[in-house]
Amino acid sequence: MTNAEIASLFDHVADLLEYQGGNVFRIRAYRNAARLVKGTVESLATIREAAGRSLTDLEGIGKDLAIKIEALLDGGRLPLLEQLEQEVPQVAFELMRVPGLGPKKVKILVDSLGLTSLDDLGDACRAGRVRDLKGFGEKTEAMILANLAFAQDPAHSRLLWQEADVIVQQLLAWMRDCPAAERVEAAGSWRRGRETVGDIDILAQSKKPNEVMDHLLAWNAAGETLLRGETKTSIRGPQQIQIDLRVVTAASFGAAWQYFTGSKEHNVRVRSRAREQGLTINEYGVTRIDDQAAKPLAGRTEEEVYQSIGLLWIPPELREGRGEIERAEAGSLPQLVTLADIRGDLHMHTTATDGEATLTEMAQAAIERGLSYIAITDHSKRVTMAHGLDEKRLRRQWRSIDRLNESLAAEGKSPLVVLKGIEVDMLEKGGLDLPEDVLAEADWVVASLHYGQKQARDRITGRILEAIHHPAVSCIGHPTGRLINRRPAYDVDMQQVIDAAAATGTCLEINANPWRLDLDDTLAAAARQAGVQMVISTDAHSTEGLDVMRCGVLQARRAGLEPKDVANTRTLASLRKLLRKKERS
Ligand SMILES: [Zn+2]
Ligand SMILES: [Zn+2]
């Protein structure tokens, strides 16, 4: 069982307890457990099995929780969950999947309207029966109706890239252990770095396909076998994801890897280009249309497949049929940004608000990750849930940062500089959550919208534009507010936002949190076109949270971003120059 699966079980228990009106402390304990597990990057199974280590070594995991996790890892279930699943009606589970419908609201809907399905809920909304319930109203009814469509779209049940990646890494490690496999690679949307992954494609090179396919079936996480063929086997893996394994020969490996990496749009264009040149391309290789019986012209590597139709090798993240073939032909493919180009991280939280690690711990973790600067950007006071900072507490934190920088410089060992920042809220009524003179003293200001997300398009757009034009604002955080699979973006005119960011020299964030990835690939590409400087930030709430940077980089690569498009690939001196330009504009 993966960490994500365990976390979602704990969340599920908390939801069901809340539905029943259970004890708040108990609910909170399960929510905290889910958050902890989700925030742990290393697999809990690995930690448990490692000699001399134990789950209780992890901060926040006590004995009781460790026992529950071990039971889950052993294939057991949570007795409490089984009991709750008996007690709560099935329709409640379906309703809780609708974004914006928490357990409490679902309870009211089920009890008052006698719903038995999601369709019933849609009917009730359309008949205007939901608006009269206590705590609902016309707006909520319209929101439910809009989100219902979102919940019923099968595209929203795909795994996040990061969740799929955990499975892919375990699977690759297992398959590479197979003596009959000469080479094993993953393909498909995982390889293209899509934000969500629907199924996992694995490719093996071998002369003994049966042995390789048997090895897959012997994997301890293998579920039901869906198909067993001559060279292809499909199974269900963790979280019910479908895994397709194909076994090919060395002569076809490159052709098959190209073929099964996709996308469909990209491959359609590749094949039609080949046809124009009298060639045919499939998963076995490239042959001449008029002599398909002859030995393939290419197929061992992806490079030779692309070369055979006059193209440079195209990075998988760009293979979406968005003009990459024309660029490969012209020799003008972008030099995509890599994780190694990233020098700083400009959005993170500490224990001063809702983070789990202290200022010093975050700085230490940044040093360990080789960063040369970070900005501490805790929440401002409007975010009461997170105990947001007022002017006084913020200045106190800044004094601690000054002292920390002095001691880091005195040690002389690390080049890390900690910038004084804030994630300041764009208030519902307009304006920012801290006075201008305070913001002017910050090194780095991220302005974010957390409240009033249901406002009309012109109001939300207006709030963001106001922040962009504020001289102290360096960057707009998670600009669209979407949460993948959970909540659509707020209604905002992104073209206006992008144009204003370009005109004022304000950065736009690519928030690297795997649930956010906001800006997404298409918006980031549009921002690049407009000349906006982007910042890839982790928005870390723990030291491990800094590791999601790679998810943001992947999204930036899909957008075609080069190091020069990403402000935090700059040296600190160069970043400061960029910020001064904004102040003067
Ligand atoms: Zn935020
Ligand atoms: Zn944040």
Side-chain angles (χ1 to χ4, degrees), residues 244-438:
D244 297 324
L245 165 71
R246 292 174 180 87
V247 189
V248 300
T249 62
S252 301
F253 191 86
W257 205 14
Q258 193 283 326
Y259 186 89
F260 292 114
T261 294
S263 63
K264 206 165 115 197
E265 291 72 21
H266 175 80
N267 282 357
V268 163
R269 286 170 170 81
V270 165
R271 283 197 294 271
S272 82
R273 184 181 168 90
R275 240 182 339 268
E276 285 161 19
Q277 303 179 3
L279 300 170
T280 160
I281 293 187
N282 57 31
E283 66 265 49
Y284 302 105
V286 186
T287 48
R288 237 179 278 289
I289 291 176
D290 54 18
D291 190 9
Q292 290 187 38
K295 201 167 155 269
L297 303 168
R300 299 189 83 83
T301 66
E302 283 194 330
E303 284 80 358
E304 71 180 39
V305 170
Y306 282 109
Q307 209 173 32
S308 72
I309 52 170
L311 297 178
L312 291 171
W313 178 83
I314 300 173
E317 296 92 334
L318 294 179
R319 298 183 197 170
E320 297 290 345
R322 298 173 183 160
E324 69 278 8
I325 299 206
E326 292 72 15
R327 265 175 275 150
E329 180 175 29
S332 64
L333 284 170
Q335 291 300 312
L336 298 179
V337 61
T338 66
L339 187 57
D341 294 322
I342 302 293
R343 292 176 197 259
D345 190 341
L346 295 166
H347 186 164
M348 66 188 66
H349 299 265
T350 71
T351 45
T353 61
D354 57 350
E356 287 165 20
T358 62
L359 167 62
T360 320
E361 287 165 345
M362 289 307 278
Q364 187 54 39
I367 293 170
E368 283 161 16
R369 285 158 181 79
L371 295 174
S372 38
Y373 53 88
I374 57 172
I376 300 295
T377 55
D378 270 310
H379 288 292
S380 61
K381 58 185 189 290
R382 173 65 185 88
V383 189
T384 42
M385 254 169 40
H387 196 37
L389 301 177
D390 59 15
E391 195 177 325
K392 220 173 116 196
R393 288 175 59 219
L394 180 59
R395 287 191 196 278
R396 200 184 309 146
Q397 184 184 54
W398 285 352
R399 284 194 295 275
S400 313
I401 291 178
D402 282 336
R403 283 194 299 273
L404 177 63
N405 276 328
E406 278 164 30
S407 75
L408 285 172
E411 280 171 33
K413 279 180 293 201
S414 123
L416 186 80
V417 173
V418 181
L419 300 177
K420 290 181 266 190
I422 181 78
E423 179 174 13
V424 66
D425 250 65
M426 307 174 192
L427 299 173
E428 290 101 308
K429 60 181 196 304
L432 298 175
D433 195 19
L434 284 165
E436 196 159 338
D437 60 316
V438 180

Side-chain angles (χ1 to χ4, degrees), residues 347-349 354 377-379 423 446 448 450 478 509 511 516 539-541:
H347 186 164
M348 66 188 66
H349 299 265
D354 57 350
T377 55
D378 270 310
H379 288 292
E423 179 174 13
V446 180
S448 299
H450 295 114
H478 41 76
E509 182 177 82
N511 191 295
R516 290 194 180 271
D539 199 355
H541 285 68

